[in-house]
């Protein structure tokens, strides 16, 4: 089953890191990404842009577009992963791997009920003929 692992952190803290600190953290995370990729479990992942540039669409009808993230919280959603795990416990283990690389982040683990891939992913697309 596919799981979304949502990465939350205090955006001001992340923005305060030096380029060297940020690069070191990303190198640590890249090692975890590489592990997931080698195991064939990593789907799309992204580091999201600043919440100051976010918009939210809410309300009835065509809705109202407002500035900013959806919720007012201490932490902001700064990125996400889609991973293929057999069980919820395995998905929690994947989030723990990410947390070891970035121990100050908060990770939310949620099953994905519908996945429309932008690129092939073993669980959702059959291999191409002759592949």
């Amino acid at each position: 089953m596919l799981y979304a692992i949502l990465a939350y952190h205090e955006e001001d803290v992340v923005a305060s890191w030096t380029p060297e600190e940020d690069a070191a953290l990303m190198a640590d995370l890249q090692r975890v990404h590489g592990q997931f990729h080698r195991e064939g479990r990593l789907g799309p992942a992204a580091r999201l842009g600043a919440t100051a540039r976010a918009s939210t669409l809410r309300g009835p009808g065509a809705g109202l577009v407002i500035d900013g993230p959806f919720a007012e919280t201490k932490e902001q959603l700064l990125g996400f992963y889609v991973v293929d795990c057999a069980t919820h416990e395995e998905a929690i283990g994947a989030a723990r791997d990410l947390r070891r690389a970035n121990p100050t982040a908060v990770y939310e683990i949620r099953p994905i009920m519908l996945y429309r891939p932008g690129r092939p992913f073993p669980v959702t697309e059959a291999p191409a003929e002759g592949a």
Side-chain angles (χ1 to χ4, degrees), residues 48-64:
L48 300 176
T51 56
R53 298 194 59 204
S55 297
T56 300
L57 175 64
R58 68 170 76 193
L64 174 67

